[in-house]
Amino acid sequence: MRGPPRGASSAASRGCCGAVGSLFAAHLAQKGEAEIWAYDVWTEHVDAINTNGLHLSGAADFTAQLRATSNPKELPRCDYGIVATKAIHTRSAIAQAARAFDDNSAVCSVQNGVGNEEIIAEHVKYVVRGTTFPAGHTIAPGHIGYDIKGDTWVGPFEPTHTSISKVEELAGLMTRSGMNTIALKDARGAQWTKLIFNASTNPVGALTLLHHGAATRFVATGQLFNDLIAEGEAVAQSLGIALHGDPRQLVQKGAGAPGKHRASMLQDVLARRQTEVDFMNGAIVKWGEKLGVPTPLNKTMWELIKGLEHSWKDPD
């Protein structure tokens, strides 16, 4: 993202401008307040964007014009970056795109889980901690289905001493583009609220093959959501983090959304792709172990998902 008024870059590997990354890139580009570049290793998607624009359908329906590339050397110097790739690709994504950012740039993670900001900070001076609730899915190269609208919360990633003014400028750009974004001095509460929500709904959906609404309404899995949430809340409380809302309300909000939304981990399992479970349930388990807070259900979810991933390798 180079701006304002000249622009911004959405920088990451495949997934950055896949679903969630495309939501931000398209809105920012349509507004025209910033110059948008999308970096993605999915060449078909990049080619389609450059040829026909980036089309969103569903919760919003429009086509935006922006520049996309699979060659990081083509990226210009950017004021801001938004990393939306899956957590398992964060390290390679930011290493490839880091050349676009200098000592005055700031890069924001809007990814699932916790631990992404630490990886980004290895390559970028200023990092913004972000949490976003909009969701989508890829329909075809250059075409993203916008499934669920929602807010985004951003705040300084504390170890990088990112100024609140940078956070507010980025939040303003995103909000004016149509992606409502709230700047917070401490965004850990928002991040952990979504982490706990994701660590309950994602593995249950992935293991049962139930879409979000069905898993919420079925008594057994609905109760499992609540029990997993309770463990995450205990860890957050021990960390001294005040949650930014109730994860249970997020579960109900997702269940009430139109259509049959599949959790990202379920989509990964169906495609036999590595999941983000290490950054979700795995992170809660690690923090629980450090703090002496029991997390047996999250550990079980982590073990089962890791076992499922292992089965795809056809072990002896």
Side-chain angles (χ1 to χ4, degrees):
M1 184 183 301
R2 301 175 66 205
R6 291 169 47 214
S9 156
S10 185
S13 71
R14 183 167 183 171
C16 162
C17 217
V20 173
S22 287
L23 301 182
F24 282 99
H27 278 84
L28 286 162
Q30 182 196 40
K31 180 65 176 179
E33 190 175 348
E35 178 186 342
I36 307 301
W37 282 74
Y39 172 56
D40 200 309
V41 298
W42 185 17
T43 57
E44 294 87 352
H45 191 47
V46 166
D47 291 343
I49 291 172
N50 286 327
T51 302
N52 301 311
L54 177 54
H55 182 62
L56 303 186
S57 62
D61 197 329
F62 64 87
T63 300
Q65 303 299 321
L66 63 147
R67 292 288 303 276
T69 182
S70 294
N71 181 359
K73 294 181 179 180
E74 293 182 355
L75 290 172
R77 182 264 170 194
C78 298
D79 296 301
Y80 294 101
I82 298 174
V83 180
T85 188
K86 286 189 177 294
I88 57 175
H89 300 309
T90 302
R91 191 172 301 281
S92 61
I94 193 60
Q96 294 164 24
R99 64 173 304 281
F101 309 109
D102 61 20
D103 285 347
N104 292 313
S105 305
V107 175
C108 177
S109 166
V110 292
Q111 299 162 274
N112 285 330
V114 294
N116 294 292
E117 292 85 1
E118 287 83 351
I119 297 172
I120 295 170
E122 295 174 6
H123 298 274
V124 179
K125 183 175 180 180
Y126 295 117
V127 179
V128 176
R129 185 192 297 275
T131 302
T132 194
F133 281 92
H137 68 282
T138 301
I139 295 175
H143 184 186
I144 301 298
Y146 191 176
D147 298 333
I148 300 173
K149 287 189 174 183
D151 292 335
T152 298
W153 291 268
V154 292
F157 178 55
E158 300 80 8
T160 62
H161 303 289
T162 305
S163 68
I164 190 64
S165 62
K166 282 187 177 293
V167 174
E168 290 173 342
E169 182 176 43
L170 178 60
L173 283 167
M174 294 160 71
T175 295
R176 291 190 295 275
S177 78
M179 301 292 283
N180 192 51
T181 303
I182 299 96
L184 302 170
K185 291 183 178 179
D186 184 352
R188 294 178 303 159
Q191 186 178 52
W192 269 78
T193 301
K194 189 182 181 188
L195 168 66
I196 293 168
F197 162 79
N198 274 330
S200 65
T201 58
N202 268 270
V204 173
L207 291 168
T208 64
L209 307 185
L210 292 170
H211 66 79
H212 182 82
T216 304
R217 291 186 288 270
F218 183 54
V219 174
T221 47
Q223 183 60 50
L224 184 53
F225 283 173
N226 289 331
D227 294 341
L228 285 162
I229 286 170
E231 287 188 359
E233 287 175 327
V235 174
Q237 183 178 14
S238 186
L239 280 168
I241 295 174
L243 296 183
H244 197 79
D246 186 346
R248 295 168 189 79
Q249 292 180 355
L250 299 179
V251 171
Q252 295 302 321
K253 180 180 179 180
K260 298 180 179 180
H261 178 67
R262 291 173 171 173
S264 61
M265 196 176 293
L266 172 54
Q267 296 178 45
D268 288 337
V269 165
L270 292 173
R272 294 197 169 193
R273 294 189 298 255
Q274 184 181 354
T275 73
E276 298 178 288
V277 72
D278 290 337
F279 291 80
M280 294 181 185
N281 303 84
I284 289 175
V285 170
K286 285 183 178 179
W287 277 110
E289 290 173 346
K290 289 180 182 179
L291 299 165
V293 178
T295 57
L297 289 174
N298 276 275
K299 185 175 182 181
T300 299
M301 292 293 104
W302 178 82
E303 291 168 336
L304 287 171
I305 294 293
K306 298 303 286 188
L308 183 57
E309 292 176 351
H310 184 59
S311 74
W312 303 332
K313 301 176 183 178
D314 193 23
D316 294 333

